[in-house]
């Protein structure tokens, strides 16, 4: 199968000191396996253990699915961008769509008893649970960017702020 990937695929370096992989593809779920393969390989290269690789991969998949389904509303004329930047400290992942964005304060709390049976909001809840730092930003050109970070030392931001 030939994937009509839009944009570029590049590995700037293949050492653990610094590596960046950029993917840009049409807004279709058929590209999830490609994103998963890249995620699995780069997290293994960095040195994450098997459990961490699984949860990072799941977080990236959830973010890409959200970009395709909720951001771009499955419009294959729109693109999803995924940028994975590896360093000795860990991994930073950016997932971008061309949708209208959302206000994260409007998301239902999936742990609230009134929302337990609702399917929405769980993907972002999982991403926040498994990654060390997660943020959302509207892009100047339109669309939304999700920034996720997973550090190799597994310390979450602010863990030492309370000392």
């Amino acid at each position: 199968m030939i994937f009509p990937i839009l944009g570029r695929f590049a590995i700037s370096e293949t050492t653990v000191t610094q590596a960046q992989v950029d993917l840009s593809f049409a807004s279709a779920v058929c590209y999830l396996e490609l994103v998963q393969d890249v995620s699995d390989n780069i997290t293994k290269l960095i040195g994450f253990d098997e459990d961490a690789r699984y949860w990072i991969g799941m977080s990236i998949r959830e973010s890409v699915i959200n970009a395709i389904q909720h951001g771009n509303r499955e419009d294959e004329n729109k693109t999803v961008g995924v940028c994975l930047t590896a360093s000795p400290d860990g991994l930073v992942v950016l997932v971008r769509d061309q949708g209208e964005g959302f206000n994260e304060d409007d998301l239902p709390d999936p742990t609230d008893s009134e929302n337990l049976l609702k399917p929405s909001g769980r993907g972002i809840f999982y991403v926040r649970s498994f990654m060390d730092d997660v943020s959302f930003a509207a892009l100047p050109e339109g669309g939304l960017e999700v920034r996720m970070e997973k550090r190799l030392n597994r310390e979450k931001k602010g863990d030492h702020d309370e000392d």
Side-chain angles (χ1 to χ4, degrees), residues 26-54:
S27 195
V29 293
C30 64
Y31 299 107
L32 283 173
E33 195 67 32
L34 171 67
V35 174
Q36 185 71 54
D37 286 346
V38 171
S39 169
D40 290 346
N41 283 296
I42 201 164
T43 53
K44 189 173 184 178
L45 178 71
I46 296 169
F48 285 105
D49 64 31
E50 188 175 334
D51 282 347
R53 292 196 306 266
Y54 175 82

Side-chain angles (χ1 to χ4, degrees), residues 21-159:
V21 177
D22 288 307
L23 301 169
S24 182
F25 48 89
S27 195
V29 293
C30 64
Y31 299 107
L32 283 173
E33 195 67 32
L34 171 67
V35 174
Q36 185 71 54
D37 286 346
V38 171
S39 169
D40 290 346
N41 283 296
I42 201 164
T43 53
K44 189 173 184 178
L45 178 71
I46 296 169
F48 285 105
D49 64 31
E50 188 175 334
D51 282 347
R53 292 196 306 266
Y54 175 82
W55 295 118
I56 293 168
M58 196 197 86
S59 296
I60 295 171
R61 286 178 68 94
E62 285 293 331
S63 297
V64 170
I65 289 170
N66 282 342
I68 292 169
Q69 293 180 340
H70 301 295
N72 291 345
R73 305 212 180 272
E74 300 185 46
D75 181 348
E76 293 190 20
N77 293 314
K78 294 182 176 181
T79 59
V80 173
V82 179
C83 177
L84 300 100
T85 303
S87 73
D89 298 328
L91 177 70
V92 174
V93 182
L94 305 175
V95 177
R96 298 181 186 106
D97 65 43
Q98 297 180 308
E100 297 175 11
F102 66 94
N103 182 346
E104 63 182 296
D105 294 333
D106 293 339
L107 293 174
D109 176 1
T111 62
D112 187 320
S113 61
E114 292 181 13
N115 299 325
L116 289 178
L117 299 177
K118 294 179 182 177
S120 62
R122 297 198 188 296
I124 292 174
F125 174 77
Y126 293 140
V127 170
R128 285 182 172 145
S129 299
F130 303 129
M131 301 299 280
D132 293 324
D133 192 35
V134 179
S135 61
F136 305 90
L139 298 171
E141 66 274 18
L144 183 79
E145 178 181 89
V146 179
R147 182 188 183 280
M148 300 173 278
E149 182 174 358
K150 186 69 175 178
R151 291 179 283 279
L152 271 171
N153 62 13
R154 295 170 182 81
E155 293 179 3
K156 290 192 175 192
K157 196 179 236 180
D159 283 352

